[in-house]
């Protein structure tokens, strides 16, 4: 009866929302705890002169030599197109046999290493050639495709294939699973292509002849007008993908991409052999000196791996939660269903956030806040938050196309309907990005925070491939752990893999 | 034992692959210490000059970093490279028989400036500044001679401490121009920068001296040089190395020299870089 | 109150409703009957647009937000009565006054035990009660329902429909069960293939008349 009623009635029972809220809170607390571990400092520099130069550059893009830029644009697209096509096909084959542990482990291993690290390794073998660029994207993407495709297959209803009788695995896929899942597979591949364009461009940072090459050079030299020209071109490329990437034109594009590839110099077999047999193993191990090897491992472990591991994890956790917060704040602004016509502005903002390379954002933040983990966290959060917000805005618009009558509008629709409906997908996206953020925060070592990437970069600079390889393996193992943890959490919380 | 087997196999493979390559293009790379824009255009002209002088097809490939240049040199993608002091030493360690053949006129007495943000209130002086403890500091790129190796060496020599012990934070900007920008903005208190980059940017009016200034200059040391692989005579004809050296020393065109940017090139040898090798060893950058 | 005068609704090339004329007055309780696809839902949403502010709507799929608690799902019916800030605070910490109101409704519907549970964990029947709860909490003079008790067993459906209708002065409900239509409503409107095929006062007809609509006679 009303007078005996107390709020305790609301506490008993299980609410999915409350559980997800607890999970979110738990992660937020971990992030806050890690903020104390992370190397965070707030300096108060006087960045306005440099920032005004950057700002001026952004509005006065300029490139002196259009053909040079055109060629690198062509390479960027060619690498991405060929690598994604190859990776999608191999990934599809792997996804069909994903129930085999060896396939799962292989896929997890290859995707646990960042494209830049793959690029740095292949560069030692194939030099600055198309092979390096293609493999650096193709290999990790294959692992990602294998995983996501297998998850898409898992979500398909079994009705069709259960009527096939004892057909072979391949036939069951070709006649049942693949056609059934085609829209999801195609839309995911399309999304991956956008990611590949980014990866391809970023590979220019280590010297491949893609857009990133010019972007990094111009930015580094302080030629902000030139950097802006490359950046705008890249944004235009990303924004225009949906207008020109059509399935029936794909064969033509692939042919053009093959023709457009830069020349591949002959590979010297001895260097491949030397790289795998000697360069990446510590000298002591090659001499069969196990004590010496152990000493080497423990020295690198104590001096570099251990502190770097903590920084990497701390930055990852902080950036993960901040990405989530930003995504939730930003996505309603880009959803037509929530803000109407203004969503165009929000969309543009998200396009910029998810396209501008994180390293560049980190540099700008470093000018603002001084050197510490803070710029890296902010850059990662803005980039990944922008990406998740983009996916959420799309799903919000889709859902609201078929929404019934009588739902509240504006802010209330966001708080009571849209946000709760998006929330499980949001968490799933965020957990998917977890391992990506980890890989990227390892990469962020380049701006001077001592994450794993810092030491990997140093080892390559010092021509110590054994150390670089060891550190990359550590980073990969950490990544595999986080991947497993994320999968476990998603399963336990009933967070379904959202179709992208 | 096992290593020597590996080596034998590697040598066989090298001989094999070298023998199948014929009518070769001679390829070089160069990363200038300042202004890395339009590398292809600028060094394409250098390639044209060398083609004319050497009578073989000469090609330039652009690279992004010292390690990339070293790798290309080691993997025989380039046979000639314009290296920094340290990267040259590292490259010659990896490729037996390779040789420093010429250096820039300025590289005989190269130096590094230690620069400071105005807020640190440090003033320029002759002797090594003492009040650096606890400040933040940025080097240039990790493998740079003028941006990393030599300044680190003098910091250790003058303070008896490693940079990590002396400063509250040590960063690597990756590039000399960026070092200047970061110290000027105050993101870092101090930085180490290649003197020629500083002088050029100052001349172009890109530096606001009320915000950032030079507070100390290192003693001189040898830096950038042309290094060539040892097997070029066998592959491009007897006396090819001497021809390359001569072509470089005779490069008088201001336009070509400006790409590096150097006044002219003078003869050099591996032994000129012994001090760099020793310094690299002493701070643990070379095993 | 609701008036349609020889109106048609075309979706694409296909006429969903064809030449419909009808008038519904305040105080009437109207059952819409007819086979699936006859146009009942379209007619409901058409009528709804005429007085949307005075109508408590219970759509076919219920419009439940799966991960929020049953309490919040019912509370949503009252969003328009409060300021945004008030609603936002309620989302984080439910107001005790509102809890009491919602509890009263939930008790009426037999779902008071599940207030803290989220609807994704409830049976189809329980979900329908939640959707009805939201409609009741709207506190409007008119009730619009689209198969609001289809997932409940006949006895429970009968009881709940009675409860909901007793709280509203006017009602228009699409319903499949001829028995319920006869028992609870004052007027029965029959649709078939977008055409109005019958419009009777309940006291004038028998079960057989309604069943005839479904057999297409």
């Amino acid at each position: 009866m009303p007078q005996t009623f107390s709020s305790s009635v609301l506490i008993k029972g299980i609410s999915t929302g409350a559980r997800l809220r607890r999970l979110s809170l738990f992660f937020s607390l971990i992030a806050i705890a890690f903020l104390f571990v992370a190397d965070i400092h707030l300096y108060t520099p006087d960045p306005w002169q440099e920032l005004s130069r950057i700002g001026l550059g952004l509005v006065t893009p300029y490139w002196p030599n259009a053909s040079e830029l055109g060629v690198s644009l062509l390479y960027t697209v060619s690498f991405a197109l060929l690598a994604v096509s190859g990776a999608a096909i191999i990934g599809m084959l792997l996804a069909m046999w994903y129930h085999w542990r060896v396939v799962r482990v292989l896929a997890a291993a290859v995707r646990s290493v960042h494209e830049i690290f793959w690029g740095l390794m292949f560069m030692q073998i194939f030099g600055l050639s198309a092979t390096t660029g293609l493999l650096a994207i193709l290999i990790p993407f294959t692992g990602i495709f294998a995983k996501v495709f297998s998850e898409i297959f898992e979500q398909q209803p079994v009705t069709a294939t259960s009527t096939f009788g004892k057909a072979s695995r391949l036939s069951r896929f070709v006649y049942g699973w693949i056609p059934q899942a085609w829209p999801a597979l195609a839309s995911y591949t399309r999304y991956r292509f956008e990611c590949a364009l980014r990866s391809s461009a970023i590979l220019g940072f280590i010297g491949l002849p893609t857009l990133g090459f010019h972007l990094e050079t111009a930015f580094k030299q302080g030629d902000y007008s030139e950097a802006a020209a490359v950046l705008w071109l890249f944004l235009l490329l990303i924004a225009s993908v949906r207008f020109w990437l059509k399935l029936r034109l794909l064969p033509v594009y692939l042919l053009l991409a093959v023709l457009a590839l830069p020349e591949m110099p002959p590979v010297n077999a001895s260097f491949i052999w030397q790289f795998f047999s000697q360069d990446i193993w510590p000298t002591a191990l090659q001499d069969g000196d196990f004590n010496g090897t152990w000493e080497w491992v423990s020295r690198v472990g104590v001096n570099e791996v251990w502190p770097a591991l903590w920084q990497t994890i701390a930055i990852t956790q902080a950036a993960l939660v901040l990405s989530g917060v930003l995504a939730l704040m930003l996505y309603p602004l880009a959803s037509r269903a929530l803000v109407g016509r203004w969503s165009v502005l929000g969309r543009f903002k998200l396009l910029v956030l998810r396209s501008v390379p994180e390293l560049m954002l980190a540099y700008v933040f470093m000018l603002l806040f001084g050197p510490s983990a803070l710029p890296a966290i902010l850059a990662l959060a803005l980039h990944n938050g922008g990406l998740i917000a983009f996916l959420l805005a799309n799903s919000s618009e889709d859902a609201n196309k078929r929404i019934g009558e009588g739902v509240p509008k504006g802010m209330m629709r966001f708080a009571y309907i849209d946000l709760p409906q998006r929330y499980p997908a949001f968490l799933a996206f965020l957990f998917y990005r977890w391992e990506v953020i980890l890989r990227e925060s390892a990469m962020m070592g380049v701006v001077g925070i001592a994450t794993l990437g810092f030491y990997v970069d140093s080892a390559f600079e010092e021509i110590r491939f054994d150390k670089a390889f060891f550190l990359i393996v550590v980073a990969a193992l950490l990544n595999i752990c986080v991947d497993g943890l994320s999968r476990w959490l998603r399963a336990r919380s009933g967070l379904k893999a959202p179709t992208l | 034992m096992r290593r020597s087997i590996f080596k034998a196999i590697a040598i066989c493979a090298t001989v094999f692959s070298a023998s199948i390559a014929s009518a070769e293009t001679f390829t070089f790379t160069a990363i200038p210490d300042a202004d890395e824009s339009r590398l292809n255009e600028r060094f394409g002209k250098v390639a044209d000059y060398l083609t004319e002088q050497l009578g073989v097809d000469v090609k330039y490939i652009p690279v992004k970093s010292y390690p990339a240049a070293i790798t290309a040199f080691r993997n025989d993608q380039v046979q000639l490279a314009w290296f920094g002091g340290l990267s040259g030493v590292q490259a010659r360690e990896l490729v037996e028989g390779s040789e420093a053949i010429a250096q820039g006129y300025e590289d005989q007495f190269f130096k590094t400036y230690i620069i400071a943000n105005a807020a640190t209130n440090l003033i320029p002086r002759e002797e090594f500044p003492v009040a650096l403890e606890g400040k933040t500091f940025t080097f240039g790129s990790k493998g740079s001679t003028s941006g990393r190796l030599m300044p680190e060496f003098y910091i250790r020599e003058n303070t008896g401490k490693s940079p990590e012990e002396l400063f509250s934070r040590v960063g690597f900007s990756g590039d000399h121009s960026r070092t200047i920008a970061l110290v000027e903005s105050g993101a870092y208190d101090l930085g180490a920068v290649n003197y020629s980059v500083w002088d050029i940017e100052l001349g172009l009016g890109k530096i606001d001296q009320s915000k950032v200034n030079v507070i100390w200059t290192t003693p001189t040391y040898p830096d950038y040089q042309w290094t060539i692989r040892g097997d070029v005579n066998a592959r491009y004809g007897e006396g090819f190395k001497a021809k390359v050296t001569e072509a470089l020393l005779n490069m008088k065109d201001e336009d070509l020299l400006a790409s590096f940017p150097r006044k002219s090139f003078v003869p050099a040898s591996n032994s000129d870089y012994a001090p760099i090798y020793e310094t690299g060893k002493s701070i643990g950058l070379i095993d | 109150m609701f008036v349609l005068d020889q109106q048609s609704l075309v979706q694409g090339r296909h006429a969903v409703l064809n030449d419909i004329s009808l008038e519904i007055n305040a105080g009437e309780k109207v059952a819409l009957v007819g086979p699936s696809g006859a146009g009942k839902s379209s007619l409901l949403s058409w009528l709804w647009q005429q007085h949307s502010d005075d109508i408590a709507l219970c759509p076919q799929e219920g419009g439940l937000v799966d991960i929020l608690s049953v309490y919040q799902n019912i509370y949503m019916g009252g969003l328009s009565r409060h300021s945004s800030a008030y609603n936002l605070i309620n989302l984080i910490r439910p107001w005790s006054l509102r809890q009491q109101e919602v509890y009263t409704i939930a008790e009426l519907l037999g779902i008071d035990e599940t207030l803290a549970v989220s609807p994704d964990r409830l049976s189809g029947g329980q979900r329908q009660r939640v959707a009805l709860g939201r409609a009741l909490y709207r506190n409007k003079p008119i009730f619009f329902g689209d198969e609001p008790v289809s997932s409940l067993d006949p006895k429970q459906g009968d009881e709940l429909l009675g409860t909901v209708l007793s709280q509203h002065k006017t009602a228009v409900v699409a319903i499949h069960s001829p028995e319920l239509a006869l028992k609870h409503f004052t007027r029965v409107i029959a649709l078939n293939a977008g055409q109005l095929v019958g419009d009777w006062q309940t006291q004038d007809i028998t079960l057989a008349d309604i069943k005839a609509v479904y057999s297409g006679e």
Side-chain angles (χ1 to χ4, degrees):
Chain A
M1 293 301 99
Q3 52 265 58
T4 61
F5 168 75
S6 79
S7 64
S8 68
V9 173
L10 283 189
I11 293 167
K12 81 177 176 200
I14 346 153
S15 153
T16 306
R19 249 188 39 197
L20 296 183
R21 201 161 57 196
R22 272 201 301 279
L23 184 65
S24 314
L25 197 68
F26 176 64
F27 266 80
S28 306
L29 289 176
I30 291 181
I32 290 168
F34 268 119
L35 283 182
F36 292 98
V37 180
D39 174 23
I40 288 184
H41 253 276
L42 197 55
Y43 298 91
T44 47
D46 173 22
W48 305 114
Q49 191 164 5
E50 192 72 6
L51 285 181
S52 66
R53 276 188 217 146
I54 294 176
L56 185 67
L58 274 179
V59 295
T60 57
Y62 162 76
W63 193 264
N65 185 345
S67 73
E68 194 181 19
L69 202 57
V71 169
S72 58
L73 178 71
L74 204 60
Y75 288 160
T76 308
V77 179
S78 300
F79 284 167
L81 208 54
L82 291 172
V84 163
S85 308
I89 292 168
I90 306 172
M92 173 74 77
L93 289 171
L94 291 180
M96 293 183 194
W97 280 274
Y98 210 67
H99 57 295
W100 290 356
R101 173 175 289 268
V102 56
V103 172
R104 284 201 305 275
V105 170
L106 180 74
V110 294
R111 71 169 183 271
S112 67
V113 176
H114 195 278
E115 296 97 279
I116 294 273
F117 291 159
W118 280 117
L120 282 170
M121 284 198 288
F122 286 126
M123 213 152 81
Q124 311 309 323
I125 305 169
F126 303 111
L128 288 166
S129 72
T131 322
T132 304
L134 288 176
L135 288 181
I137 303 174
L138 188 138
I139 289 186
F141 275 50
T142 299
I144 297 170
F145 273 124
K147 168 179 147 175
V148 173
F149 282 174
S150 80
E151 281 170 0
I152 290 176
F153 290 139
E154 268 170 36
Q155 286 171 52
Q156 300 303 315
V158 290
T159 23
T161 43
S162 58
T163 59
F164 287 177
K166 255 186 167 275
S168 75
R169 193 163 184 85
L170 192 65
S171 334
R172 264 183 291 152
F173 270 96
V174 172
Y175 279 87
W177 298 118
I178 295 176
Q180 214 172 13
W182 186 255
L185 298 174
S187 101
Y188 183 74
T189 309
R190 179 177 282 275
Y191 160 78
R192 265 289 130 193
F193 176 66
E194 188 187 307
C195 302
L197 281 177
R198 259 173 40 75
S199 302
S200 171
I202 287 172
L203 282 171
F205 284 20
I206 58 168
L208 288 158
T210 59
L211 283 174
F213 187 97
H214 302 300
L215 183 58
E216 206 254 4
T217 304
F219 198 79
K220 196 162 77 174
Q221 306 279 308
D223 295 331
Y224 296 122
S225 290
E226 293 186 8
V230 186
L231 200 59
W232 286 119
L233 183 66
F234 184 62
L235 289 183
L236 209 63
L237 175 66
I238 296 271
S240 68
V241 167
R242 59 194 173 114
F243 300 113
W244 54 266
L245 188 67
K246 309 276 181 217
L247 190 63
R248 63 199 152 78
L249 291 177
L250 199 58
V252 183
Y253 287 142
L254 286 175
L255 188 69
L256 289 177
V258 172
L259 294 177
L261 280 185
E263 63 176 299
M264 300 194 209
V267 183
N268 192 327
S270 69
F271 292 111
I272 303 184
W273 173 245
Q274 188 191 338
F275 185 72
F276 286 112
S277 65
Q278 288 181 32
D279 291 356
I280 60 175
W281 308 109
T283 325
L285 184 66
Q286 289 178 48
D287 292 339
D289 171 6
F290 288 107
N291 283 336
T293 309
W294 174 243
E295 196 190 309
W296 182 87
V297 168
S298 51
R299 184 159 40 87
V300 176
V302 170
N303 292 340
E304 302 181 5
V305 173
W306 185 245
L309 218 52
W310 280 108
Q311 281 307 317
T312 309
I313 295 173
I315 290 172
T316 303
Q317 292 315 110
L320 179 73
V321 171
L322 199 56
S323 299
V325 173
L326 280 170
L328 292 182
M329 278 163 50
L330 291 174
Y331 97 81
L333 301 179
S335 166
R336 211 181 159 73
L338 295 171
V339 294
R341 239 173 307 149
W342 291 105
S343 65
V344 179
L345 269 182
R347 291 250 149 195
F348 177 71
K349 204 160 47 195
L350 295 188
L351 171 73
V352 173
L353 284 182
R354 70 177 198 275
S355 308
V356 176
E358 306 90 305
L359 285 177
M360 219 152 276
L361 285 175
Y363 176 71
V364 174
F365 284 125
M366 186 155 73
L367 287 172
L368 276 170
F369 304 114
S372 78
L374 192 63
I377 293 174
L378 291 177
L380 286 171
L382 273 181
H383 172 75
N384 288 289
L387 184 71
I388 296 170
F390 166 72
L391 298 172
L392 287 178
N394 285 350
S395 109
S396 160
E397 284 189 355
D398 281 353
N400 282 297
K401 267 182 211 152
R402 48 191 151 76
I403 204 145
E405 283 99 355
V407 291
K409 297 220 166 19
M411 185 69 180
M412 286 306 104
R413 178 188 287 193
F414 171 68
Y416 272 86
I417 309 221
D418 210 70
L419 180 61
Q421 278 178 346
R422 298 288 88 72
Y423 206 78
F426 157 74
L427 277 187
F429 282 137
L430 201 58
F431 284 136
Y432 269 114
R433 288 307 282 184
W434 197 3
E435 52 164 328
V436 182
I437 294 175
L438 180 73
R439 280 199 289 275
E440 288 172 349
S441 54
M443 272 299 303
M444 281 286 167
V446 189
V447 290
I449 330 116
T451 64
L452 283 163
F454 177 83
Y455 295 102
V456 174
D457 185 47
S458 300
F460 273 112
E461 287 271 352
E462 291 162 20
I463 325 288
R464 288 172 172 151
F465 300 136
D466 50 352
K467 197 199 272 181
F469 182 69
F470 179 63
L471 289 164
I472 288 175
V473 169
V474 171
L477 288 175
L478 179 64
N479 210 69
I480 290 171
C481 289
V482 164
D483 189 17
L485 194 61
S486 152
R487 179 203 296 261
W488 177 76
L489 265 175
R490 273 182 284 131
R492 193 175 160 269
S493 321
L495 296 172
K496 291 228 184 64
T499 36
L500 291 154
Chain B
M1 179 62 199
R2 274 182 63 196
R3 286 189 87 188
S4 53
I5 294 174
F6 287 145
K7 231 174 212 165
I9 295 173
I11 288 167
C12 291
T14 314
V15 170
F16 175 70
S17 58
S19 64
I20 53 170
S22 62
E24 281 175 291
T25 306
F26 183 66
T27 313
F28 76 100
T29 188
I31 321 174
D33 44 5
D35 190 8
E36 291 178 28
S37 57
R38 290 178 289 290
L39 291 174
N40 265 318
E41 193 182 315
R42 288 155 54 203
F43 287 96
K45 289 183 199 157
V46 178
D48 292 343
Y49 167 80
L50 289 175
T51 305
E52 198 181 296
Q53 297 286 314
L54 301 175
V56 295
D57 197 17
V58 180
K59 213 184 90 188
Y60 166 79
I61 60 168
V63 294
K64 219 44 287 165
S65 62
Y66 294 117
I70 295 170
T71 305
F73 189 73
R74 186 188 78 146
N75 289 9
D76 202 21
Q77 279 192 314
V78 299
Q79 292 79 43
L80 175 72
W82 172 245
F83 282 124
L86 176 62
S87 47
V89 168
Q90 287 170 318
R92 290 192 294 272
E93 282 285 292
L94 290 169
V95 179
E96 227 165 297
S98 54
E99 225 180 292
I101 51 172
Q103 60 181 345
Y105 172 78
E106 294 88 338
D107 293 300
Q108 303 170 80
F109 23 81
F110 219 76
K111 51 197 178 185
T112 296
Y113 290 150
I114 302 291
I115 57 172
N117 186 276
T120 58
N121 289 323
L122 291 166
I123 45 159
R125 23 168 96 240
E126 280 294 308
E127 66 275 20
F128 190 82
V130 277
L132 300 183
E133 188 110 34
K135 301 251 184 301
T136 58
F137 187 94
T138 183
F139 288 112
S141 120
K142 284 170 189 161
S144 161
T145 310
S146 54
R148 162 81 187 279
L149 179 74
M150 297 318 285
E152 174 160 354
F153 174 75
Y154 285 110
I155 286 166
R156 283 174 187 266
E157 189 175 75
N158 285 294
T159 64
K161 290 178 178 169
S162 74
E164 287 74 17
E165 291 163 345
L166 181 67
F167 301 114
S168 63
R169 182 180 292 280
V170 176
F172 293 91
S173 71
D175 180 79
H176 297 295
S177 306
R178 196 128 73 162
T179 302
I180 300 174
L182 286 172
V183 178
E184 183 172 315
S185 79
Y188 285 94
D189 297 329
L190 300 158
V193 61
N194 171 320
Y195 87 105
S196 105
V197 174
W198 172 274
D199 288 351
I200 288 167
E201 296 217 347
L202 195 64
L204 292 173
K206 279 187 172 176
I207 299 173
D208 180 354
Q209 281 188 288
S210 68
K211 292 200 172 130
V212 57
N213 234 317
V214 176
I215 58 160
W216 189 67
T217 307
T218 63
T220 62
Y221 53 85
D223 203 347
Y224 290 78
Q225 88 295 145
W226 286 104
T227 293
I228 194 164
R229 288 180 65 93
D231 53 5
V232 288
N233 281 354
R235 289 161 61 188
Y236 299 92
E238 206 45 51
F240 188 76
K241 195 185 287 178
K243 251 161 94 184
V244 174
T245 312
E246 202 183 340
L248 291 172
L249 298 180
N250 286 335
M251 199 189 287
K252 299 288 181 230
D253 187 342
E254 302 262 323
D255 193 27
L256 297 185
L257 289 167
S259 297
F260 290 92
R262 293 295 181 264
K263 216 156 58 176
S264 65
F265 292 116
V266 299
S269 68
N270 287 1
S271 60
D272 291 342
Y273 290 88
I276 299 286
Y277 178 78
E278 291 306 323
T279 311
K281 237 180 157 154
S282 76
I283 64 173
L285 284 177
I286 296 174
D287 288 320
Chain C
M1 170 158 231
F2 296 97
V3 183
L4 293 177
D5 186 15
Q6 298 191 329
Q7 280 169 301
S8 300
L9 180 70
V10 181
Q11 272 173 5
R13 286 175 306 170
H14 178 70
V16 184
L17 291 170
N18 212 345
D19 194 24
I20 305 274
S21 297
L22 61 82
E23 195 173 330
I24 296 171
N25 295 313
E28 283 194 288
K29 305 236 160 117
V30 181
L32 286 178
V33 299
S36 301
K40 301 193 294 292
S41 300
S42 304
L43 180 59
L44 264 183
S45 91
W46 209 1
L47 294 173
W48 176 81
Q49 280 160 13
Q50 295 191 356
H51 288 283
S52 58
D53 287 343
D54 294 325
I55 298 172
L57 179 75
C58 185
Q60 194 161 25
E61 65 280 23
L64 299 185
V65 179
D66 269 342
I67 72 162
L68 291 184
S69 64
V70 166
Y71 163 75
Q72 297 290 7
N73 268 287
I74 296 178
Y75 175 85
M76 276 176 225
L79 283 177
S80 56
R81 290 198 288 274
H82 307 290
S83 71
S84 294
Y86 188 92
N87 289 336
L88 287 184
I89 294 170
N90 179 71
L91 201 53
I92 297 155
R93 235 194 136 63
W95 302 98
S96 63
L97 194 62
R98 304 302 150 213
Q99 291 190 36
Q100 286 182 33
E101 291 171 2
V102 169
Y103 183 80
T104 318
I105 288 173
E107 207 183 20
L108 201 63
L109 299 169
I111 45 172
D112 47 331
E113 293 286 312
T114 64
L115 276 178
V117 181
S118 51
D120 55 347
R121 295 162 188 280
L122 299 181
S123 69
Q126 283 172 311
R127 289 171 64 90
Q128 273 196 332
R129 290 168 200 250
V130 179
L132 282 171
R134 184 189 292 173
L136 283 179
Y137 195 60
R138 288 274 288 162
N139 232 344
K140 295 291 176 189
I142 310 170
F143 174 77
F144 268 37
D146 196 348
E147 315 276 358
V149 293
S150 57
S151 303
L152 297 163
D153 66 51
K155 182 166 170 288
Q156 289 177 347
D158 183 22
E159 277 172 22
L160 277 179
L161 194 61
T163 312
V164 170
L165 290 177
S166 70
Q167 308 270 330
H168 295 90
K169 186 159 166 266
T170 312
V172 183
V173 178
I175 199 153
H176 269 309
S177 155
E179 290 83 3
L180 291 180
L182 268 190
K183 180 169 173 195
H184 291 287
F185 294 86
T186 60
R187 182 175 166 189
V188 175
I189 292 176
L191 288 174
N192 199 350
Q195 307 276 354
L196 198 65
V197 295
D199 185 349
W200 309 285
Q201 294 301 311
T202 318
Q203 66 264 26
D204 299 340
I205 52 166
T206 61
L207 268 178
D209 292 316
I210 302 177
K211 284 182 175 159
V213 176
Y214 286 91
S215 49
E217 285 157 27

